[in-house]
Amino acid sequence: MPQLAPITIVNVGYRSTNYWVVSAGASRLLVDLGWPGTMGRMRAALGRMDIPLSELRYALATHYHIDHAGLAQELKRAGVPLLVLDVQVYAIPIMKRWTKPHDHYVEITTDDNITISFGQSRSVLERIGLPGEIVHTPGHSDDSVSLLLDDGAAFTGDLTHSALTGENDKATVLASWRLLRERGATRVYPGHGPARPIDADPDSGKR
Ligand SMILES: [Zn+2]
């Protein structure tokens, strides 16, 4: 059995949004992908952390909102393949509606992504040295997914804090938190704000 490199987690975020680089040695996954038109800023943020763009094996957007997937196409052009869950495909073309010309958003092409099912995610992650899976965690949006590592780290994007859910999406949000807990999540790496223990969500999974 190959020796697994220890997992490290670094935030290269900016403009109040977290972009997490999850690494097994020099094999890395970028979780959430920058605001539109900010490729220079993303390159600089990676550079400050000594992370070569060429070591990013995949880019994964937790969901297709502009602050989470704005650089997907530019990252692809720079050689980072885009990993898409099948439940996210519909959301990709919709995203451009929320951009303005001055955002300099580069539209994401859909014929050259690596589209997988949740069931395939574990083996895809295993190939880049990351023990874990990607799970469907709707609530903030239907296309929201979370990266859940076997060590309990959960990258939840904008999954609403369970104390802050509106009545409309409450059941969906709580079900997503429950799923994460059942699968072993202990620590939350959100799309905005600091990492926190999952127990800091008073309601999550408890009802
Ligand atoms: Zn969002």
Side-chain angles (χ1 to χ4, degrees), residues 11-50:
N11 184 8
V12 296
Y14 47 87
R15 281 170 62 183
S16 306
T17 311
N18 300 326
Y19 307 124
W20 302 104
V21 179
V22 185
S23 307
S27 181
R28 309 177 190 274
L29 171 68
L30 179 62
V31 180
D32 285 334
L33 313 177
W35 290 83
T38 63
M39 193 61 192
R41 191 145 183 199
M42 175 62 81
R43 284 182 187 277
L46 290 165
R48 268 196 301 278
M49 295 295 182
D50 291 321

Side-chain angles (χ1 to χ4, degrees), residues 80-99:
V80 186
L82 181 63
L83 194 60
V84 176
L85 276 297
D86 47 17
V87 302
Q88 298 183 305
V89 171
Y90 82 95
I92 293 177
I94 298 171
M95 197 172 77
K96 69 170 180 292
R97 290 188 205 159
W98 306 103
T99 62

Side-chain angles (χ1 to χ4, degrees), residues 62-68 140-141 144 157-158 192:
T62 54
H63 63 294
Y64 282 82
H65 284 172
I66 60 168
D67 50 337
H68 293 262
H140 172 71
S141 66
S144 287
D158 284 351
H192 308 276

Side-chain angles (χ1 to χ4, degrees), residues 132-146:
E133 61 183 328
I134 300 167
V135 296
H136 194 196
T137 48
H140 172 71
S141 66
D142 288 343
D143 71 319
S144 287
V145 307
S146 296

